[in-house]
Amino acid sequence: MGGGDWNIMASADGYDSANRDCFVRQLYENPRVVLVLAKIQSGARDQEPAGLLEKANDFFYLKKYAEAAAAYQEYLQRNPDDVMVRLSVGDCYRENGDLQKAIEAFGQVVEMTSKDPLSKAITAKGLTGLGECHFKKGDLEKAELNFRLSLEMFPENEVVAYNLGEVCFSLRKVDEAIRSYKTATQLSPYWSDPFYKLGYAYLYVSNYEKAKEALKKFLILEPGGSRGIKAKKTLEEIEKIKK
Protein backbone atom coordinates (compact mmCIF):
# COMPACT_ATOMS: atom_id res chain seq x y z
CA MET A 1 0.00 0.00 0.00
CA GLY A 2 1.25 3.46 -0.84
CA GLY A 3 1.73 6.07 1.84
CA GLY A 4 -1.16 8.38 2.71
CA ASP A 5 -4.74 8.22 3.91
CA TRP A 6 -6.62 4.97 3.36
CA ASN A 7 -10.07 3.72 4.26
CA ILE A 8 -9.92 0.05 5.19
CA MET A 9 -13.22 -1.80 4.89
CA ALA A 10 -14.24 -5.40 5.49
CA SER A 11 -17.57 -7.00 4.59
CA ALA A 12 -19.07 -10.47 4.36
CA ASP A 13 -22.50 -11.96 3.70
CA GLY A 14 -24.50 -12.19 6.91
CA TYR A 15 -22.39 -9.62 8.76
CA ASP A 16 -22.46 -5.88 9.29
CA SER A 17 -19.56 -4.24 7.48
CA ALA A 18 -16.83 -2.36 9.34
CA ASN A 19 -14.34 0.26 8.22
CA ARG A 20 -11.64 2.55 9.52
CA ASP A 21 -9.67 5.52 8.22
CA CYS A 22 -5.93 5.23 8.76
CA PHE A 23 -2.70 6.80 7.60
CA VAL A 24 -0.09 4.48 6.08
CA ARG A 25 3.60 5.35 6.46
CA GLN A 26 6.25 3.77 4.25
CA LEU A 27 9.37 3.95 6.42
CA TYR A 28 7.91 3.21 9.85
CA GLU A 29 5.89 0.48 11.51
CA ASN A 30 2.17 1.07 11.05
CA PRO A 31 -0.37 0.33 13.77
CA ARG A 32 -2.31 -2.87 13.29
CA VAL A 33 -5.83 -2.40 11.91
CA VAL A 34 -8.35 -4.83 13.42
CA LEU A 35 -11.87 -5.03 12.01
CA VAL A 36 -14.24 -7.54 13.60
CA LEU A 37 -17.62 -7.97 11.91
CA ALA A 38 -20.84 -8.45 13.87
CA LYS A 39 -23.33 -11.08 12.71
CA ILE A 40 -26.64 -9.75 11.45
CA GLN A 41 -29.33 -11.09 13.77
CA SER A 42 -32.42 -12.76 12.33
CA GLY A 43 -35.33 -10.35 12.16
CA ALA A 44 -34.54 -6.90 13.50
CA ARG A 45 -30.88 -6.04 13.75
CA ASP A 46 -29.42 -5.88 17.21
CA GLN A 47 -27.30 -2.76 16.95
CA GLU A 48 -25.84 -2.96 20.46
CA PRO A 49 -23.46 -5.90 19.82
CA ALA A 50 -22.30 -4.21 16.62
CA GLY A 51 -21.65 -1.07 18.64
CA LEU A 52 -19.62 -3.05 21.16
CA LEU A 53 -17.42 -4.41 18.39
CA GLU A 54 -16.94 -0.97 16.91
CA LYS A 55 -15.92 0.35 20.33
CA ALA A 56 -13.58 -2.61 20.88
CA ASN A 57 -12.01 -2.13 17.45
CA ASP A 58 -11.44 1.55 18.23
CA PHE A 59 -9.75 0.71 21.53
CA PHE A 60 -7.49 -1.84 19.85
CA TYR A 61 -6.46 0.62 17.14
CA LEU A 62 -5.56 3.12 19.85
CA LYS A 63 -3.54 0.41 21.63
CA LYS A 64 -5.87 0.53 24.64
CA TYR A 65 -5.76 -3.24 24.90
CA ALA A 66 -7.32 -3.66 28.34
CA GLU A 67 -10.36 -1.60 27.30
CA ALA A 68 -10.58 -3.46 23.99
CA ALA A 69 -10.48 -6.85 25.75
CA ALA A 70 -13.26 -5.78 28.12
CA ALA A 71 -15.48 -4.68 25.22
CA TYR A 72 -14.81 -7.87 23.26
CA GLN A 73 -15.57 -9.94 26.37
CA GLU A 74 -18.86 -8.09 26.86
CA TYR A 75 -19.76 -8.95 23.27
CA LEU A 76 -18.85 -12.60 23.87
CA GLN A 77 -21.27 -12.81 26.78
CA ARG A 78 -24.04 -12.42 24.19
CA ASN A 79 -22.30 -14.27 21.36
CA PRO A 80 -20.14 -16.98 23.00
CA ASP A 81 -19.61 -18.93 19.76
CA ASP A 82 -17.94 -16.07 17.88
CA VAL A 83 -14.42 -17.47 17.53
CA MET A 84 -13.12 -14.48 15.57
CA VAL A 85 -13.83 -12.23 18.53
CA ARG A 86 -12.08 -14.74 20.80
CA LEU A 87 -9.04 -14.39 18.55
CA SER A 88 -9.20 -10.65 19.06
CA VAL A 89 -9.38 -11.15 22.83
CA GLY A 90 -6.21 -13.22 22.62
CA ASP A 91 -4.55 -10.48 20.56
CA CYS A 92 -5.46 -7.91 23.21
CA TYR A 93 -4.03 -9.94 26.07
CA ARG A 94 -0.86 -10.77 24.12
CA GLU A 95 -0.23 -7.14 23.16
CA ASN A 96 -0.90 -6.09 26.77
CA GLY A 97 1.65 -8.59 28.08
CA ASP A 98 -0.86 -10.90 29.81
CA LEU A 99 0.45 -13.99 28.08
CA GLN A 100 -1.32 -16.58 30.23
CA LYS A 101 -4.74 -15.08 29.51
CA ALA A 102 -3.80 -14.84 25.84
CA ILE A 103 -2.85 -18.52 25.82
CA GLU A 104 -6.22 -19.38 27.35
CA ALA A 105 -8.09 -17.35 24.72
CA PHE A 106 -6.17 -18.82 21.77
CA GLY A 107 -6.53 -22.29 23.28
CA GLN A 108 -10.31 -21.83 23.37
CA VAL A 109 -10.28 -20.96 19.67
CA VAL A 110 -8.32 -24.11 18.83
CA GLU A 111 -10.60 -26.25 20.97
CA MET A 112 -13.75 -24.79 19.40
CA THR A 113 -12.61 -25.13 15.77
CA SER A 114 -10.13 -28.00 15.48
CA LYS A 115 -12.77 -30.67 14.83
CA ASP A 116 -14.34 -28.75 11.94
CA PRO A 117 -12.49 -29.33 8.63
CA LEU A 118 -13.94 -26.08 7.29
CA SER A 119 -12.36 -24.05 10.11
CA LYS A 120 -8.71 -24.92 9.42
CA ALA A 121 -7.74 -21.32 8.74
CA ILE A 122 -9.22 -20.18 12.06
CA THR A 123 -7.61 -23.07 13.94
CA ALA A 124 -4.29 -22.08 12.34
CA LYS A 125 -4.73 -18.52 13.63
CA GLY A 126 -5.32 -19.84 17.14
CA LEU A 127 -2.23 -22.03 16.94
CA THR A 128 -0.21 -19.09 15.64
CA GLY A 129 -1.34 -17.03 18.61
CA LEU A 130 -0.24 -19.80 20.95
CA GLY A 131 3.13 -19.98 19.21
CA GLU A 132 3.67 -16.24 19.53
CA CYS A 133 2.79 -16.29 23.24
CA HIS A 134 5.08 -19.21 24.03
CA PHE A 135 7.87 -17.53 22.05
CA LYS A 136 7.46 -14.37 24.15
CA LYS A 137 7.52 -16.50 27.31
CA GLY A 138 10.77 -18.10 26.17
CA ASP A 139 9.29 -21.59 25.78
CA LEU A 140 10.80 -22.26 22.37
CA GLU A 141 9.79 -25.92 22.20
CA LYS A 142 6.09 -25.10 22.63
CA ALA A 143 6.43 -22.19 20.21
CA GLU A 144 7.96 -24.49 17.60
CA LEU A 145 5.23 -27.10 18.08
CA ASN A 146 2.38 -24.62 17.66
CA PHE A 147 3.93 -22.89 14.65
CA ARG A 148 4.42 -26.29 12.97
CA LEU A 149 0.82 -27.29 13.67
CA SER A 150 -0.37 -23.94 12.32
CA LEU A 151 1.53 -24.45 9.07
CA GLU A 152 0.09 -27.93 8.72
CA MET A 153 -3.38 -26.41 8.95
CA PHE A 154 -2.64 -23.42 6.70
CA PRO A 155 0.69 -23.71 4.86
CA GLU A 156 0.29 -20.46 2.89
CA ASN A 157 1.16 -18.20 5.84
CA GLU A 158 4.61 -16.70 5.23
CA VAL A 159 4.71 -14.98 8.64
CA VAL A 160 4.27 -18.28 10.49
CA ALA A 161 6.95 -19.88 8.29
CA TYR A 162 9.29 -17.00 9.12
CA ASN A 163 8.50 -17.23 12.84
CA LEU A 164 9.16 -20.96 12.77
CA GLY A 165 12.52 -20.18 11.19
CA GLU A 166 13.29 -17.76 14.02
CA VAL A 167 12.43 -20.36 16.66
CA CYS A 168 14.42 -23.10 14.94
CA PHE A 169 17.45 -20.85 14.59
CA SER A 170 17.22 -19.95 18.29
CA LEU A 171 17.18 -23.69 19.04
CA ARG A 172 20.22 -24.12 16.74
CA LYS A 173 18.18 -26.28 14.37
CA VAL A 174 19.78 -24.37 11.54
CA ASP A 175 18.85 -26.69 8.66
CA GLU A 176 15.19 -26.53 9.70
CA ALA A 177 15.45 -22.76 10.08
CA ILE A 178 16.80 -22.53 6.53
CA ARG A 179 13.86 -24.57 5.20
CA SER A 180 11.39 -22.30 7.00
CA TYR A 181 13.04 -19.07 5.86
CA LYS A 182 13.10 -20.41 2.28
CA THR A 183 9.40 -21.20 2.51
CA ALA A 184 8.73 -17.63 3.65
CA THR A 185 10.72 -16.21 0.71
CA GLN A 186 8.75 -18.37 -1.71
CA LEU A 187 5.41 -17.35 -0.24
CA SER A 188 6.36 -13.66 -0.07
CA PRO A 189 9.16 -12.88 -2.55
CA TYR A 190 8.97 -9.12 -1.93
CA TRP A 191 9.41 -9.35 1.86
CA SER A 192 13.01 -8.57 2.77
CA ASP A 193 13.18 -10.07 6.30
CA PRO A 194 13.24 -13.77 5.30
CA PHE A 195 16.02 -13.18 2.74
CA TYR A 196 18.08 -11.36 5.37
CA LYS A 197 17.75 -14.15 7.93
CA LEU A 198 18.20 -16.83 5.27
CA GLY A 199 21.51 -15.28 4.25
CA TYR A 200 22.90 -15.38 7.76
CA ALA A 201 21.54 -18.88 8.37
CA TYR A 202 23.47 -20.08 5.31
CA LEU A 203 26.52 -18.18 6.55
CA TYR A 204 26.20 -20.01 9.89
CA VAL A 205 26.65 -23.36 8.09
CA SER A 206 29.42 -21.93 5.83
CA ASN A 207 27.36 -22.16 2.65
CA TYR A 208 28.83 -18.99 1.22
CA GLU A 209 27.30 -19.14 -2.25
CA LYS A 210 23.78 -19.51 -0.91
CA ALA A 211 24.45 -16.80 1.67
CA LYS A 212 25.55 -14.43 -1.10
CA GLU A 213 22.50 -15.23 -3.18
CA ALA A 214 20.09 -14.56 -0.32
CA LEU A 215 21.81 -11.35 0.81
CA LYS A 216 21.93 -9.97 -2.74
CA LYS A 217 18.18 -10.54 -3.05
CA PHE A 218 17.73 -8.84 0.30
CA LEU A 219 19.67 -5.79 -0.91
CA ILE A 220 17.44 -5.48 -3.96
CA LEU A 221 14.45 -5.21 -1.63
CA GLU A 222 16.12 -3.19 1.13
CA PRO A 223 19.29 -1.47 -0.09
CA GLY A 224 19.48 1.16 2.64
CA GLY A 225 19.36 1.32 6.41
CA SER A 226 21.51 -0.41 9.00
CA ARG A 227 20.68 -3.89 7.73
CA GLY A 228 21.61 -2.92 4.19
CA ILE A 229 24.99 -1.63 5.40
CA LYS A 230 25.58 -4.83 7.37
CA ALA A 231 24.60 -7.03 4.42
CA LYS A 232 27.01 -5.20 2.10
CA LYS A 233 29.85 -5.60 4.59
CA THR A 234 29.01 -9.29 4.97
CA LEU A 235 29.17 -9.77 1.21
CA GLU A 236 32.61 -8.12 1.20
CA GLU A 237 33.77 -10.44 3.95
CA ILE A 238 32.48 -13.48 2.05
CA GLU A 239 34.52 -12.45 -0.99
CA LYS A 240 37.63 -12.17 1.20
CA ILE A 241 37.01 -15.63 2.63
CA LYS A 242 36.64 -17.12 -0.85
CA LYS A 243 39.95 -15.58 -1.94
Side-chain angles (χ1 to χ4, degrees):
M1 298 173 67
D5 291 307
W6 287 81
N7 181 266
I8 311 298
M9 184 181 71
S11 62
D13 290 339
Y15 293 81
D16 280 312
S17 62
N19 69 88
R20 174 180 300 285
D21 291 323
C22 65
F23 184 80
V24 175
R25 298 177 296 177
Q26 288 295 305
L27 300 179
Y28 303 93
E29 181 181 358
N30 290 281
R32 188 175 180 189
V33 177
V34 175
L35 297 173
V36 182
L37 309 186
K39 289 183 180 179
I40 297 174
Q41 305 297 319
S42 58
R45 291 191 178 192
D46 183 354
Q47 294 296 331
E48 191 172 357
L52 280 172
L53 283 183
E54 185 177 353
K55 181 169 69 173
N57 293 339
D58 287 342
F59 280 137
F60 193 99
Y61 184 74
L62 294 171
K63 298 185 179 182
K64 296 182 178 180
Y65 301 118
E67 293 89 339
Y72 285 133
Q73 290 284 24
E74 187 177 349
Y75 174 88
L76 283 173
Q77 290 176 6
R78 308 177 193 197
N79 302 273
D81 296 329
D82 196 325
V83 291
M84 297 305 296
V85 173
R86 288 191 185 277
L87 280 172
S88 294
V89 170
D91 289 338
C92 290
Y93 287 138
R94 183 196 60 229
E95 294 301 318
N96 210 33
D98 196 337
L99 298 179
Q100 190 53 47
K101 283 188 177 180
I103 287 171
E104 291 172 6
F106 290 129
Q108 288 171 353
V109 171
V110 173
E111 184 178 351
M112 293 170 68
T113 61
S114 59
K115 294 181 181 180
D116 181 4
L118 299 178
S119 298
K120 284 186 176 182
I122 300 174
T123 306
K125 288 179 181 293
L127 290 164
T128 297
L130 289 171
E132 291 170 347
C133 290
H134 287 302
F135 185 76
K136 286 190 173 185
K137 288 182 71 174
D139 192 336
L140 299 182
E141 287 78 11
K142 285 186 179 179
E144 179 187 7
L145 173 63
N146 282 285
F147 285 142
R148 286 193 186 281
L149 291 173
S150 179
L151 280 175
E152 288 177 12
M153 288 280 183
F154 195 74
E156 293 84 9
N157 193 320
E158 69 276 10
V159 176
V160 178
Y162 175 81
N163 288 343
L164 179 58
E166 295 284 85
V167 172
C168 288
F169 195 85
S170 296
L171 291 169
R172 294 298 179 261
K173 298 179 180 180
V174 183
D175 289 340
E176 295 180 35
I178 288 172
R179 283 195 291 271
S180 296
Y181 289 140
K182 283 182 67 176
T183 298
T185 65
Q186 292 161 0
L187 291 171
S188 187
Y190 300 105
W191 184 21
S192 60
D193 288 12
F195 287 106
Y196 185 75
K197 293 301 183 72
L198 180 61
Y200 285 99
Y202 275 129
L203 191 62
Y204 189 89
V205 295
S206 302
N207 190 332
Y208 300 120
E209 287 302 319
K210 290 290 187 180
K212 282 177 56 179
E213 180 182 338
L215 290 175
K216 284 180 179 179
K217 288 182 179 178
F218 164 77
L219 286 170
I220 292 172
L221 298 170
E222 190 180 318
S226 59
R227 294 199 305 180
I229 294 172
K230 182 180 178 181
K232 290 173 185 176
K233 288 183 178 179
T234 300
L235 287 172
E236 293 173 1
E237 291 300 319
I238 290 174
E239 290 300 330
K240 291 178 183 178
I241 292 171
K242 289 177 65 179
K243 291 179 180 179

